[in-house]
């Protein structure tokens, strides 16, 4: 199994290099895996996520690679530095899933993986790359890009709900009662070490699930729909299942009515929600259609 990690500062062409390498591999009869670690410019899912996708045919000139059955994890931000501990943890989770797939799928093992990274290459960003390399057993390094501008984020989210350039996707808007869902933010605010409970570090707070009460400030936020079972318990020491569960989709909150305790969401599929554990991103999307 060969893993190639493409790294470099902002706007030097990492995503393009990844696409070229993947296209070459597919044309040689391989089935490589694209591992997308650039949370600001995901080529697989919406911004704020980390993902992996098996590539079976070359990328379309305009639409890119066919995105079918990707593995997507919620990170919740377009900048790794907002929660580097979660970023590294999800990198390890993707590496573990890819390794397990290679053990049972010879084509995946022979095809290897191409890892697209963020353009953050100094300080904690460099440490994240150092963490990624052994996780994926990467020996190769190439150069290229970083987080894309806000317009690109909006376009990627719009494509998720409406399809590429006017294709026939018809998203649905429906109401969800506050009582029917549980909403969390990953990572508690930093506090002085002297105020932390005995034995707890700042790293522990970065992986903490913080319940969010729906309010008007939730409007336009993108929410990940976690695939974790609805009856999964959430409490002290029991949040790992949610943190490490892939997401099964995304919704955008378009309105919140605190009097009736109802929020309206934009969803790619009709009601009901497939699961009822939602993870809030610090990404907003205003639907202008």
């Amino acid at each position: 199994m060969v893993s190639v990690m493409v790294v470099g500062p902002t706007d030097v062409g990492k995503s393009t290099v990844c696409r070229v390498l993947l296209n070459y591999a597919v044309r040689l009869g391989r089935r490589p895996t694209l591992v997308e670690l650039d949370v600001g410019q995901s080529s697989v899912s919406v911004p704020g996520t980390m993902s992996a996708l098996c590539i079976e045919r070359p990328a379309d000139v305009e639409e890119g690679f066919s995105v079918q059955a990707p593995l997507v994890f919620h990170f919740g931000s377009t900048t790794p530095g907002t929660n580097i501990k979660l970023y590294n943890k999800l990198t390890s989770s993707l590496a573990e899933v890819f390794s397990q797939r290679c053990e049972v799928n010879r084509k995946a093992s022979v095809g290897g993986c191409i890892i697209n990274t963020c353009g953050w290459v100094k300080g904690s960003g460099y440490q994240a790359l150092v963490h990624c390399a052994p996780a994926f057993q990467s020996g190769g390094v190439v150069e290229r890009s970083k987080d894309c501008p806000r317009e690109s984020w909006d376009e990627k989210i719009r494509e998720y709900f409406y399809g590429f350039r006017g294709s026939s996707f018809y998203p649905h808007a429906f109401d969800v009662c506050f009582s029917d869902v549980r909403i969390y933010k990953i990572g508690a605010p930093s506090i002085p070490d002297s105020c932390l409970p005995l034995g707890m570090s700042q790293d522990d707070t970065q992986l903490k699930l913080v319940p969010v009460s729906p309010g008007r400030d939730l409007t336009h936020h993108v929410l990940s729909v976690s695939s974790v079972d609805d009856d999964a318990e959430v409490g002290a020491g029991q949040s790992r299942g949610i943190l490490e569960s892939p997401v099964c989709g995304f919704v955008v909150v378009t309105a919140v009515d605190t009097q009736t305790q109802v929020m309206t969401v934009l969803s790619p599929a009709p009601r009901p929600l497939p699961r009822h554990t939602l993870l809030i991103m610090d990404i907003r999307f205003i639907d202008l259609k």
Side-chain angles (χ1 to χ4, degrees), residues 78-271:
T78 56
T79 305
T82 58
N83 195 333
I84 192 64
K85 187 169 180 74
L86 176 61
Y87 185 84
N88 287 338
K89 188 176 187 66
L90 294 181
T91 297
S92 296
S93 294
L94 280 169
E96 183 178 356
V97 172
F98 176 66
S99 177
Q100 291 172 350
R101 183 168 183 266
C102 289
E103 290 178 2
V104 299
N105 188 316
R106 184 176 181 277
K107 286 186 176 180
S109 180
V110 172
C113 70
I114 305 296
I115 306 165
N116 188 31
T117 62
C118 289
W120 185 33
V121 295
K122 296 182 179 180
S124 296
Y126 175 76
Q127 294 304 319
L129 295 174
V130 172
H131 174 85
C132 177
F136 282 93
Q137 303 174 7
S138 300
V141 178
V142 190
E143 277 226 17
R144 203 247 141 187
S145 153
K146 162 162 185 168
D147 306 23
C148 60
R150 172 74 206 207
E151 293 78 15
S152 181
W153 305 346
D154 287 345
E155 184 59 30
K156 192 67 180 178
I157 297 172
R158 190 173 291 108
E159 286 178 13
Y160 175 77
F161 289 103
Y162 291 100
F164 182 82
R165 294 191 181 178
S167 56
S168 55
F169 286 14
Y170 299 98
H172 302 261
F174 54 85
D175 292 340
V176 176
C177 294
F178 293 178
S179 58
D180 290 340
V181 294
R182 51 186 184 183
I183 305 175
Y184 298 99
K185 174 79 174 178
I186 300 178
S190 297
I191 58 176
D193 290 341
S194 59
C195 298
L196 289 171
L198 187 64
M200 179 179 282
S201 67
Q202 292 288 354
D203 284 348
D204 296 324
T205 66
Q206 287 191 308
L207 299 181
K208 182 179 177 61
L209 281 179
V210 181
V212 175
S213 298
R216 296 190 186 281
D217 58 348
L218 195 62
T219 306
H220 303 309
H221 269 287
V222 179
L223 304 179
S224 298
V225 182
S226 174
S227 63
V228 72
D229 289 340
D230 288 336
D231 57 358
E233 295 184 15
V234 180
Q238 297 181 338
S239 62
R240 179 177 176 181
I242 292 178
L243 293 178
E244 299 185 358
S245 293
V247 301
C248 54
F250 306 91
V251 297
V252 172
V253 179
T254 57
V256 176
D257 190 328
T258 54
Q259 289 190 332
T260 60
Q261 300 282 287
V262 166
M263 64 182 182
T264 304
V265 300
L266 181 71
S267 167
R271 71 176 77 216

Side-chain angles (χ1 to χ4, degrees), residues 34-49:
L34 168 61
V35 177
E36 182 59 85
L37 302 183
D38 188 346
V39 293
Q41 183 177 283
S42 175
S43 59
V44 175
S45 187
V46 304
T49 61

